[in-house]
Amino acid sequence: MKDINFNTIFNDIFIELQPMENPGVAASYIPELAKIDPDKFGIHLSHVDKGDFYQGDSNERFSIQSISKVFSLTLAMRLIGGNLWSRVGVEPSGTAFNSLVQLEVENGIPRNPFINAGAIVVCDVLMTYLDNPKVELLDFIRTIANNPSLEYNQRVAESEKNTSDRNKALIYLMRDFGNIHNDVDEVLDLYFYLCSIEMNCCELAHSFMFLVTAGMDEASGEMIISPSQAKRINAIMQLCGFYDEAGEFAFKVGLPGKSGVGGGIVAVHPGKYAIAVWSPRLNRKGNSYMGMKALELFTTKTEDSIF
Ligand code: DON
């Protein structure tokens, strides 16, 4: 990487994005998410040897939604290792995050752990192996993030529970195929809890640093997962982190990453940095419109991606 001034790059990105029209729309199928100011914008870079850089609303917490599926996957891999892959695949789906179409023909085995069906199976695994899944999952996320103040948002979790027909359809179909082993309402409760966790861009970038440092915790130096497991999670993020827009994200940004319908995106450059961006207006595929643009500009201006 050439010698880069990240402050200048962030300023330039801000100046380029500000006059741009944003055709995106904030998620409203979870009513509580529609209450957020859709024009928020924050970005935070955590670099292994150059430190931290940020702009805009980077210190304001928001609903991280599907981004948290990276944490639940990490915990499930710690608990059962490779046995997870008999319950959920590692292939891109090429379909929407909440699609039902492949599940029927593929015998209730979700394509990957980031589509809703896959994340629900991961929650089912956590229910089986943890005594107190909600508490232990939040504790794990707090440990990874080195931040004991992280919390879930009960209003968002309830809002999602009240509008959960599609996730219910997914879990019942999977149970019929024998791929759900616990009580469906309890599994869904854990899933909604997971999705309603809130973080800001700074916290998100730091919580993904273990995927930059081959599984090592930033603060303690302890291994959260093995280097091989970190490689695998990054590979799944690259191929499945943006659902039916994973190709577009690889093409334009060129980093493994994960989005959420709260408008957040986190991307990692293994060995170098984690970057988180937040802008609630989503494109038609459910990914942050400006978030994708900002990251595209970032890897273009730094002339550095994993490719
Ligand atoms: O289950 C849902 O629909 C949401 N809790 C999460 C979906 C999501 O974030 C998809 N990501 N872009």
Side-chain angles (χ1 to χ4, degrees), residues 114-175:
F114 293 154
I115 50 175
N116 287 10
I120 290 169
V121 167
V122 169
C123 283
D124 185 63
V125 168
L126 297 182
M127 291 282 303
T128 300
Y129 286 89
L130 299 175
D131 292 331
N132 202 338
K134 284 185 184 169
V135 173
E136 289 173 61
L137 179 56
L138 184 58
D139 272 354
F140 179 65
I141 297 172
R142 287 173 170 170
T143 304
I144 290 183
N146 292 298
N147 188 335
S149 79
L150 295 178
E151 265 303 343
Y152 86 112
N153 182 322
Q154 195 180 349
R155 275 177 293 109
V156 173
E158 273 167 16
S159 181
E160 184 163 359
K161 188 176 181 169
N162 295 333
T163 53
S164 57
D165 288 355
R166 196 163 264 274
N167 284 326
K168 281 190 187 132
L170 292 169
I171 196 169
Y172 278 104
L173 186 55
M174 291 192 290
R175 187 173 73 165

Side-chain angles (χ1 to χ4, degrees), residues 29-30 65-66 69 97 116 160 167 191 195 243 258-261 286-287:
Y29 78 100
I30 300 172
Q65 291 294 318
S66 289
K69 293 171 182 172
F97 60 87
N116 287 10
E160 184 163 359
N167 284 326
Y191 173 77
C195 291
Y243 314 106
K258 185 73 206 79
S259 67
V261 290
N287 300 313

